[in-house]
Amino acid sequence: MSPISTRKHGDVLIVTSNNPPVNALGHAVREGLVKAIEQADSDDDVKAVVIRCEGQTFFAGADISEFGTPKSFQPPMLPQVVDIIENCTKPVVAAIHGTAFGGGLEVALASHYRVAVPSAKLGVPEVKLGLLPGAGGTQRLPRAAGVSKALEMAATGNPISAKEACGVGLIDRLIEGDLEQHAVAFADQVKDVRPIPRTSERDDKLAEARENPAIFDEFRKANARKFRGFDAPEANIKAIEAAVARPYAEGVLEERRLFMELMSGTQARAQQYFFFAERKASKIEGLPEDTKPREIRRVGVIGAGTMGGGISMNFLSAGIPVTIVEMAQEALDRGTGVMRKNYEASAAKGRMSAEQVEQAMGALKPTLSLEDLADCDLIIEAVFENMEVKKDIFGKLDRIAKPGAILASNTSYLNVDEIAASTSRPQDVVGLHFFSPANIMKLLEVVRGAKTAPDVLVTAMQIAKKIRKVAVVAGVCHGFIGNRMLMPRQVEATKLLLEGATPEQIDKVHVGFGMPMGPFQMADLAGVDIGWHRDPNRIENVRDALCAIDRWGQKKGAGFYDYDDKRQPSPSPKVQEIIEDFSRKQGVERREVSDQEIIERTLYTMVNEGAKILEEGMAQRASDIDVVWVYGYGWPVYRGGPMFWADTEGLPKIVEGIRRQQERLGSEFSLSELLLRKAEAGEKFTR
Ligand code: 3H9
């Protein structure tokens, strides 16, 4: 049965799509739409058409799961479909609710009129899939919304609200009340209006850019940082430039050319892979299907430091009240003060209203007593990273927390099973590892202990979604997924310093690869002193030497780099001296280190660790590891994540690179059997 159905209401033909979950424009939908328009064209009794969707949303775009399969090329293809809609001889009205995204917005742009409910969102997120709107979107959007708005929407992929869309002329009318009913009434009003307004024939909104072609370069310049490394934003800009510089028919050809170029590239494949990876991460294998989440009405957070404060803000922002506990009044006041300041900064940027700030802070209950956590459904401990301290707290929580409350630790390395064993209810214990700054970073590692109950896991995944995090399940091992893979990178980067590489060279290779910063820039930002033993007389490595002379990173104006008063880094002769001194003392011969060696020793070894995590069952799937690295550490999404990247490099090449370095990697290093097996069998980690 076709997902597209038609029925008449007077002389208006109502075309309805029913293709759950998001009305993606797969082959059957495209075919159905064409048939419906043909019906409207050939039926004299039809004077106008309304296109609408059932379910949660208007068309959310082309069907991404069809990409790369023969179905996506099966006619009618989307560019044809939208042209057929625009060429309909009867006025077509798109009735939008939910998200008119990508191909969905292109269908709406090809329609002659657009009406929407106020909650609707309109956008062309193709750039986030490494693509551009390839069904006339780059040509029609600037004609309908103006060049500046089109540039912003297409190159960033961020949607706009129906209200804003109305302001820029993308929506003809906002509908309060029943969308279908009002859309039909609107169609009735415009059914005799001639000529029928066709977006592709418009020219008025291109004038702004024709008079000022510099807007394209200005836009490029203003967004250079954001677009660094990505192919798709530039292609989107070029396609819109073509809309301005050339007639419509030629612009469309340029759009097609650029679209095909992107589609055949690795970046688009990586970004589309990541789209599904992110969604797969929320699914936990092997849980009983009827597992119901526990209800979370109030959350308790222990520790009002940077982590505890950030964690609390997530829940408050989602409307969930929080009880926050500290040991001393001063620390409590400081912590809650920082939270208020952060909220106020968001308000100053227009991201929330003053009222919302008060609402969030009003739902926070600061206290000095752990006993006050008795009414919490989820309690997250975010104190000092020390096993004894954590065990002590969990022992106390065991006495205080109500039955069924979930007891979570924000530990980033420690053994969750050992923590759980300090309670009489290990089934209620789970790790919830937030990433700093916890109110901003999207990743949440959900650490599954040996005894963690299924409904605790399901609750953790559900609450993560509520606070807009992407959760990934990890097993109990040192550093879980993310930090565990960070270790070989850190070890090798540090060894490379002694062998002759500089912090600048290593960081440059990582930034060139697409990471937001390299290992030493990251150390300086996070604090070189994290985990330091605090004894300035005990100097066993470069880091100890830096900490001993107060070079703790950016916060002290000096770390692996020197910093000026604007926090701009420059290479430090002092650090170089320390490094060379260590090389001498440890008898390490200094030599020229190639960039390729840096990649092999700091990135290939990460892949190797990822493979071990997989073979030990500490991650459910390779794509989960990629989600951790993209959202937790800024791995460039256009490379998919470390495991996807390894697949694109070719696993035999990774193995070969590791073997080339084997001697330098030392005896503690071992090659993952899974990696070796897959490389030999010609297999991949991801499909
Ligand atoms: C395009 O249009 C190209 C054209 O310009 C040119 C062509 C020539 N296709 O996100 P959710 C699935 S490119 C296939 O969890 P939400 C998704 O995998 C497209 N499947 O829900 C998930 O499946 P499952 C441009 C899709 O409510 C389920 O739907 N459009 C698609 O949080 C629910 O998704 C986009 O990039 C799709 N297009 O968010 C929009 N979209 O349940 C992409 C979703 O098995 N989509 N699925 O895991 C979104 O942004 C969000 O899904 C949306 C709903 C906001 C719509």
Side-chain angles (χ1 to χ4, degrees), residues 429-469:
V429 177
V430 69
L432 290 181
H433 179 212
F434 288 82
F435 285 67
S436 186
N439 52 321
I440 294 178
M441 296 294 283
K442 277 193 83 161
L443 181 67
L444 178 67
E445 277 182 331
V446 173
V447 187
R448 178 183 198 167
K451 295 192 177 154
T452 307
D455 64 344
V456 169
L457 285 172
V458 168
T459 312
M461 301 313 269
Q462 197 193 55
I463 200 87
K465 198 158 185 184
K466 218 177 237 168
I467 61 172
R468 305 169 83 169
K469 301 282 175 206

Side-chain angles (χ1 to χ4, degrees), residues 292-306:
K292 297 248 174 338
R294 299 185 188 177
E295 204 178 333
I296 306 294
R297 276 164 308 205
R298 173 172 283 276
V299 171
V301 175
I302 307 173
T306 318

Side-chain angles (χ1 to χ4, degrees), residues 5-180:
S5 61
T6 59
R7 72 194 146 85
K8 279 194 214 163
H9 186 282
D11 49 12
V12 176
L13 184 72
I14 303 172
V15 179
T16 299
S17 169
N18 188 1
N19 187 31
V22 297
N23 282 301
L25 287 147
H27 178 253
V29 175
R30 302 197 300 269
E31 199 172 55
L33 280 174
V34 169
K35 281 203 180 122
I37 297 296
E38 281 168 1
Q39 180 189 346
D41 271 330
S42 60
D43 185 342
D44 288 343
D45 292 339
V46 171
K47 301 282 185 234
V49 180
V50 166
I51 300 181
R52 61 176 291 277
C53 291
E54 283 294 333
Q56 68 172 36
T57 178
F58 193 73
F59 307 107
D63 187 339
I64 308 167
S65 64
E66 274 187 2
F67 288 175
T69 72
K71 264 204 169 157
S72 67
F73 295 106
Q74 210 173 323
M77 285 164 65
L78 202 52
Q80 276 170 282
V81 177
V82 295
D83 284 349
I84 289 168
I85 293 172
E86 194 179 53
N87 290 328
C88 181
T89 51
K90 324 278 169 77
V92 180
V93 179
I96 301 170
H97 75 291
T99 45
F101 277 3
L105 185 56
E106 292 176 300
V107 165
L109 284 164
S111 302
H112 309 119
Y113 300 95
R114 289 161 292 278
V115 299
V117 294
S119 59
K121 287 201 163 69
L122 288 79
V124 274
E126 283 87 342
V127 73
K128 296 185 180 170
L129 300 168
L131 295 174
L132 52 76
T138 63
Q139 307 302 299
R140 287 194 181 94
L141 188 58
R143 285 175 163 84
V147 174
S148 305
K149 191 44 69 186
L151 272 177
E152 186 191 312
M153 287 175 73
T156 67
N158 296 331
I160 60 173
S161 67
K163 196 165 158 228
E164 188 180 354
C166 205
V168 297
L170 259 185
I171 294 292
D172 298 292
R173 188 175 293 171
L174 282 180
I175 305 284
E176 303 277 358
D178 187 88
L179 177 60
E180 181 184 318

Side-chain angles (χ1 to χ4, degrees), residues 641-657:
M643 307 316 276
F644 182 89
W645 173 69
D647 284 343
T648 55
E649 285 286 282
L651 300 188
K653 182 175 163 192
I654 304 280
V655 170
E656 203 182 294

